Amino acid sequence: MLRSLSTAALEHAQTRGGFTRSSSGDLSLSEEDDEDLEEERDPEKLSLCFRLGLFIGYIIPTWGHLSLANVGRSWAAGAFALWHCFLFLNSTILIFINCCSAILRCYIQWFSEMHDGYNPFSSKDREAEGHLGQGSWHVITHFFGAFFRSYILMSVTGDVMRFTYLLCVDAWRPDAFEAYRRLWVGDAWKELAIGQLYIQSWSVCLNKCQKAMDIIVQVFLYVSLDLVPILLFILVYDTPMHGSVVCEVCMAIGCFHIFCFYFLFIFGEAWLKISRFRWAWRAAKDRVTFARSGSSGIHIETETVWMTGDGTQFLSMEAEARSLCVLCCTIFHWLEYLLPVALALVTCVLGLVLDRYYLTEVGAVAASMLFFVMLGTHEALDHVANQQKCTPLWIRHMFRQPEILQRWGERWCRLGFSVQKRQRYPFAVSLGFTALVFGGFKLMMLTYSCMGLMLFLCLRLLWMRVEGAGGWFWAFLESFIEFILLNVLIITTTRNAMRDGAVVLLLCVMRQFGYQREINSGERVRLASMIVLGSVQVLLLTLVCFALDSASDDKWSQFGPYMGSKAWYNISSLTPVQEELADTLPMCLVRFPRGMPHSAKLDFNHSLSLADFGLMASLTYEPQNRVAEGCAHYFPEWHMEPRPPSVLDEDWVRFVMFTSDTNSTTVIAVRGTLTALDVLHDVTLWLVPAVLQLFNYIGPDVADGSWGISMSRLSQLIPLAPIRKQTTYDSVFLAVEYMLEHYPNRLYYLTGHSLGGGIAKLVELQLKTRIKPLTVAFAAPGVEHAARVLFPSGISELGNELATLTVEPNNDVISKIDVQIGNTLNAPCDGRALTCWGSQ
């Protein structure tokens, strides 16, 4: 019966085109002409396993027959590929968020060093240390420590993004994860040698170990990517397991396969690089080898990474002429080529127009240097012959044919001149924008340091013109010196030298110390990732400079311009009609009781309104010497509470404690965003939630569900420069703990506007006391993801926290950041986003 049904299934498959020669693509079994495959198609010579498979395919019509061509048309295979891509995409978002968070922490650490010690923006510090004194070198070394850590991390993240894209493409192929599996079994040496995937199919001479390994890898893939998530999602409904745990496991599986694919390619390439180097070393020292082998003496592949999958170029000039993409990319290429010089010239012109001599100086020097480099590196000089005089003497004495090693370096370490230009261009652009930012803030020592590094970069490119057959030696010497200097820089500029040094060493190994080859596959994804991460880096650096350069707010008043007068706005009483209307508005009806002195009861006759909390939050924006005056003017029955002794002095947060004259009620008001330091504080606490919500507009909605919770909880996986909570909100937390411990009979409230409201909610969430103060926040961001970023294992059920009331204006943007928890009260506002935010 099995024989007859399997024969019928084979005939049915042939009629449907599964084994016919009309099927297209190299994945169909019909295109194999080997005699062994012809014998397998014979019904009399089918194995038992193949007969069983045909029998199952015949009984289940959905399968049809065993054919990769049919798998490519199957809806089931498409559904699996879609799920795999969704899983890899979420894992990529997690990697991207971790990279952004690590870059932020690197620059926050640099800011802390400058803010707590030598401030380059302080004229007093500059005069005390001198223009290039010890303080200046302290600023320069700590900045470059943060900059290099960030740039290396960005480079590795861009490469990881590339391999995530390749893994997603691999998931959609009929023979799913073919490239990934071939790397596992060691059957992708030609792809590794050329740097291009899918240039050949599976080898016909796989040994038994490779075939067994391929089966094991496939089983592991489908068990980890499909079976484990299905079982976990089933367990969510039958056990108290949270959905975020399932998402964390799924993203861990996705990250594992992404990094496995990445490391397999890197290790294979490194092995080929070392083996080719040994071959080139022996060939360069032995003249006899060349006499026997003819002209070359060493096999150098002729393929390039710019070839298409079938090894042919695009031949249709008509199609190229019709493509608008060619025109747009050509324009963009020229803009990219002229961007550094144009940016320098614009900076010079702006300096002349705005009468800022330092901008003019920076722009003129940068434009001259870039123009000189463009002339020295132009393609018209590519015909200049290599000069042997620049080859070290010991190389010429030791090697009879040193050009073989140079050819090896150009082939396997991209030491060619044009390739080096493309490789160093992103780093030069990052340095250029960094110098521009520092020039705008009059930090000339940092500006000239960045431009000096750019000059070294340009001179290194010019030296490649004349380095001759010793280019590989100069490249290795440069790499060794740079690695030593980088480690010294990290050890002297970080608080945890061993940890940061180990992370940077791992990142350098992943980048092969800057000498990995160009890979055409996924190159656009890598470049796009580098552009986005570079923009994030420049934005964070600008915020840090604004925070260091922010002026004191002693001359600013929330209640109008303050020029030494002590006038305060009087709150006019409502008319009878307004009072009648106010009695019907929910915001005007909300009341909060005060505490009764020497009693556990609440006083509802002298209650607090939302307007009272809003006034107290507004008083925190006032200069320090005016807060007491404002309290006496608006709240004559209240006074300011002195700061507890446990409060930290280095905290970025400012708060005021208002206590009733009966000492029964205390309102702790936290100041919101006022200075650039507060903006940096906002970014520190809510960068991860903002990035998660940004992906809602360009990708999957991962901010509101279990995926977002898991990503926020796992956003600190890269151990570089952790954020110190004592600089974010610990002073408020310690003050609240002190007051609750020493004055337990009082009734406590927390309030704040914008950043202050968000910090107040974070403090309330972290309190472990049985009775917590009620928080009234105005136009404040949510804290669901921010809380998990700061203390991922300390908060379990945020959704059950109801001791919070957030007044959310209709058109306010700040309130939309992160996910609101507790109670929200919508406030009517017809203005724009900034107006609605400030009016609260």
Side-chain angles (χ1 to χ4, degrees):
M1 179 180 177
L2 178 61
R3 179 184 296 273
S4 60
L5 287 177
S6 61
T7 303
L10 182 60
E11 294 176 355
H12 174 69
Q14 291 175 347
T15 58
R16 294 185 56 180
F19 293 109
T20 61
R21 295 184 180 274
S22 60
S23 299
S24 60
D26 60 346
L27 296 175
S28 176
L29 295 178
S30 61
E31 294 189 2
E32 300 290 344
D33 298 328
D34 297 323
E35 296 181 359
D36 295 337
L37 295 179
E38 292 293 343
E39 292 179 358
E40 290 182 359
R41 295 171 194 161
D42 188 357
E44 299 298 331
K45 298 182 180 181
L46 295 178
S47 63
L48 179 62
C49 294
F50 200 74
R51 286 184 181 277
L52 184 60
L54 290 175
F55 169 73
I56 296 175
Y58 186 73
I59 297 298
I60 304 177
T62 306
W63 287 16
H65 55 85
L66 299 179
S67 170
L68 283 178
N70 260 15
V71 170
R73 295 190 293 264
S74 171
W75 65 268
F80 278 112
L82 186 63
W83 157 248
H84 297 158
C85 290
F86 176 76
L87 180 60
F88 294 141
L89 179 60
N90 286 337
S91 302
T92 307
I93 295 175
L94 176 63
I95 296 171
F96 181 85
I97 289 176
N98 272 273
C99 179
C100 293
S101 181
I103 293 173
L104 171 65
R105 294 196 303 271
C106 289
Y107 283 106
I108 290 296
Q109 188 180 75
W110 176 63
F111 171 81
S112 299
E113 293 290 336
M114 302 304 103
H115 187 260
D116 299 338
Y118 177 85
N119 190 346
F121 292 94
S122 174
S123 58
K124 183 184 298 184
D125 289 344
R126 287 199 299 265
E127 292 175 0
E129 296 290 347
H131 186 63
L132 288 176
Q134 182 179 1
S136 300
W137 290 116
H138 179 77
V139 173
I140 294 172
T141 55
H142 276 77
F143 163 72
F144 280 113
F147 177 80
F148 283 120
R149 280 179 289 176
S150 301
Y151 185 81
I152 294 173
L153 182 61
M154 287 191 305
S155 301
V156 173
T157 304
D159 247 357
V160 173
M161 297 290 178
R162 174 221 300 271
F163 281 90
T164 304
Y165 164 76
L166 295 178
L167 199 58
C168 291
V169 173
D170 211 14
W172 283 98
R173 292 180 62 83
D175 191 10
F177 301 109
E178 175 189 344
Y180 185 30
R181 289 154 44 202
R182 294 185 64 200
L183 286 172
W184 270 109
V185 303
D187 189 45
W189 294 109
K190 189 172 183 179
E191 284 90 339
L192 291 172
I194 298 179
Q196 179 76 31
L197 299 179
Y198 308 122
I199 60 172
Q200 67 177 15
S201 59
W202 285 90
S203 301
V204 296
C205 56
L206 290 179
N207 55 43
K208 294 182 179 180
C209 293
Q210 288 177 313
K211 294 178 180 178
M213 184 64 181
D214 183 37
I215 297 297
I216 294 173
V217 170
Q218 291 186 70
V219 172
F220 175 69
L221 275 169
Y222 290 110
V223 168
S224 60
L225 293 176
D226 302 318
L227 184 59
V228 171
I230 291 174
L231 293 177
L232 289 177
F233 280 115
I234 293 175
L235 290 176
V236 169
Y237 296 97
D238 296 336
T239 62
M241 181 187 299
H242 299 290
S244 59
V245 177
V246 178
C247 296
E248 289 178 13
V249 174
C250 291
M251 285 190 294
I253 294 173
C255 291
F256 172 80
H257 287 293
I258 290 172
F259 281 101
C260 268
F261 191 29
Y262 176 68
F263 279 112
L264 285 171
F265 198 97
I266 294 298
F267 289 159
E269 182 183 351
W271 174 258
L272 285 176
K273 184 179 298 185
I274 294 173
S275 62
R276 295 299 193 275
F277 178 78
R278 295 173 58 188
W279 191 4
W281 184 276
R282 291 194 301 266
K285 296 186 67 174
D286 190 2
R287 183 189 295 267
V288 181
T289 303
F290 292 100
R292 278 198 298 254
S293 60
S295 60
S296 64
I298 182 174
H299 175 67
I300 301 295
E301 291 85 352
T302 58
E303 299 92 342
T304 66
V305 297
W306 305 109
M307 296 174 63
T308 59
D310 56 356
T312 60
Q313 301 291 335
F314 296 102
L315 300 178
S316 177
M317 300 301 295
E318 182 183 356
E320 182 175 329
R322 290 197 313 267
S323 177
L324 293 179
C325 182
V326 174
L327 176 62
C328 296
C329 291
T330 302
I331 296 174
F332 180 80
H333 171 74
W334 279 104
L335 291 177
E336 177 189 19
Y337 183 71
L338 299 175
L339 176 63
V341 177
L343 189 62
L345 293 177
V346 169
T347 303
C348 184
V349 173
L350 285 178
L352 293 175
V353 173
L354 301 177
D355 197 17
R356 304 289 179 88
Y357 71 93
Y358 50 88
L359 288 180
T360 305
E361 184 179 353
V362 171
V365 174
S368 303
M369 182 179 64
L370 292 173
F371 184 73
F372 168 72
V373 173
M374 290 176 63
L375 290 178
T377 59
H378 196 268
E379 295 179 357
L381 299 178
D382 288 344
H383 65 279
V384 177
N386 293 329
Q387 302 295 325
Q388 293 292 332
K389 62 180 181 180
C390 296
T391 304
L393 293 177
W394 69 270
I395 292 181
R396 283 185 283 175
H397 289 308
M398 184 174 182
F399 300 100
R400 299 181 178 182
Q401 297 291 336
E403 64 273 4
I404 296 298
L405 289 171
Q406 179 63 22
R407 292 176 60 191
W408 168 85
E410 294 178 0
R411 173 65 181 86
W412 291 97
C413 299
R414 59 176 179 182
L415 298 182
F417 180 75
S418 59
V419 182
Q420 282 289 307
K421 284 176 59 178
R422 292 194 300 269
Q423 180 188 8
R424 298 172 187 257
Y425 181 80
F427 182 72
V429 171
S430 298
L431 278 176
F433 276 103
T434 302
L436 180 63
V437 171
F438 286 142
F441 286 97
K442 302 181 182 180
L443 289 176
M444 306 310 295
M445 55 180 180
L446 287 171
T447 302
Y448 288 133
S449 299
C450 294
M451 296 180 69
L453 192 57
M454 289 181 62
L455 180 61
F456 168 77
L457 198 67
C458 299
L459 293 177
R460 178 71 181 94
L461 282 175
L462 295 178
W463 174 253
M464 291 182 184
R465 291 286 193 186
V466 293
E467 62 187 5
W472 62 275
F473 167 74
W474 297 115
F476 285 170
L477 181 63
E478 176 193 6
S479 178
F480 177 76
I481 295 175
E482 289 177 354
F483 181 71
I484 296 298
L485 293 177
L486 179 62
N487 279 273
V488 172
L489 193 63
I490 291 173
I491 291 174
T492 56
T493 59
T494 184
R495 295 188 178 97
N496 196 328
M498 294 299 296
R499 181 196 58 197
D500 286 7
V503 173
V504 172
L505 175 62
L506 177 61
L507 295 176
C508 291
V509 171
M510 295 170 69
R511 294 186 67 244
Q512 299 185 48
F513 300 95
Y515 292 107
Q516 70 272 31
R517 291 182 302 140
E518 281 189 326
I519 303 174
N520 187 31
S521 303
E523 179 66 14
R524 290 178 294 181
V525 176
R526 187 191 69 84
L527 291 176
S529 303
M530 285 289 294
I531 291 174
V532 174
L533 291 173
S535 303
V536 172
Q537 183 188 31
V538 172
L539 177 61
L540 293 177
L541 179 62
T542 305
L543 288 177
V544 168
C545 291
F546 265 118
L548 289 172
D549 193 31
S550 59
S552 176
D553 59 332
D554 292 337
K555 298 298 182 180
W556 190 88
S557 173
Q558 174 77 1
F559 296 87
Y562 172 65
M563 296 297 177
S565 64
K566 297 183 179 180
W568 296 89
Y569 293 145
N570 293 321
I571 301 177
S572 58
S573 59
L574 300 178
T575 63
V577 177
Q578 291 175 335
E579 289 182 355
E580 182 179 355
L581 179 62
D583 291 338
T584 62
L585 294 177
M587 293 186 60
C588 300
L589 295 175
V590 176
R591 291 293 185 271
F592 303 90
R594 298 187 189 180
M596 294 287 288
H598 310 292
S599 174
K601 297 182 180 180
L602 301 178
D603 184 9
F604 287 91
N605 296 325
H606 301 84
S607 58
L608 295 169
S609 65
L610 286 177
D612 295 330
F613 285 108
L615 276 174
M616 291 181 182
S618 299
L619 286 175
T620 58
Y621 289 93
E622 295 300 305
Q624 191 69 32
N625 59 340
R626 280 179 47 99
V627 178
E629 300 173 6
C631 178
H633 180 79
Y634 291 111
F635 304 100
E637 298 179 356
W638 293 68
H639 65 273
M640 290 179 58
E641 189 84 18
R643 293 167 65 91
S646 60
V647 172
L648 302 173
D649 295 332
E650 67 269 18
D651 203 334
W652 300 349
V653 183
R654 177 181 169 183
F655 66 95
V656 180
M657 296 190 299
F658 300 98
T659 302
S660 61
D661 290 340
T662 59
N663 291 328
S664 59
T665 306
T666 297
V667 179
I668 302 175
V670 187
R671 192 184 74 177
T673 303
L674 179 61
T675 64
L677 175 60
D678 298 325
V679 177
L680 184 63
H681 197 180
D682 285 321
V683 175
T684 302
L685 294 175
W686 280 278
L687 174 68
V688 172
V691 174
L692 281 174
Q693 289 180 312
L694 182 63
F695 277 104
N696 291 352
Y697 298 98
I698 60 177
D701 188 355
V702 296
D704 299 332
S706 298
W707 292 101
I709 294 174
S710 304
M711 290 179 188
S712 59
R713 186 179 297 166
L714 301 175
S715 60
Q716 309 289 330
L717 296 178
I718 301 177
L720 279 177
I723 296 177
R724 297 184 300 168
K725 289 193 295 183
Q726 59 266 29
T727 61
T728 53
Y729 66 91
D730 257 12
S731 62
V732 185
F733 176 74
L734 294 175
V736 174
E737 274 194 331
Y738 179 87
M739 297 299 291
L740 289 174
E741 180 181 356
H742 290 79
Y743 306 101
N745 295 326
R746 292 186 186 181
L747 181 63
Y748 292 95
Y749 292 97
L750 287 167
T751 188
H753 168 254
S754 184
L755 169 65
I759 292 176
K761 291 189 283 186
L762 288 173
V763 170
E764 180 193 347
L765 287 174
Q766 197 181 8
L767 288 173
K768 303 298 182 181
T769 56
R770 185 177 60 87
I771 300 177
K772 298 182 179 181
L774 187 143
T775 301
V776 180
F778 299 91
V783 293
E784 181 173 354
H785 296 307
R788 289 190 170 91
V789 172
L790 291 172
F791 24 85
S793 59
I795 299 297
S796 57
E797 292 294 336
L798 297 181
N800 297 332
E801 182 62 50
L802 299 177
T804 300
L805 177 63
T806 303
V807 180
E808 183 178 344
N810 289 337
N811 297 329
D812 180 39
V813 178
I814 303 299
S815 303
K816 302 298 188 296
I817 298 176
D818 210 333
V819 180
Q820 298 288 349
I821 61 175
N823 302 291
T824 58
L825 183 62
N826 291 330
C829 182
D830 298 331
R832 295 182 179 180
L834 186 60
T835 304
C836 293
W837 169 77
S839 63
Q840 295 297 310

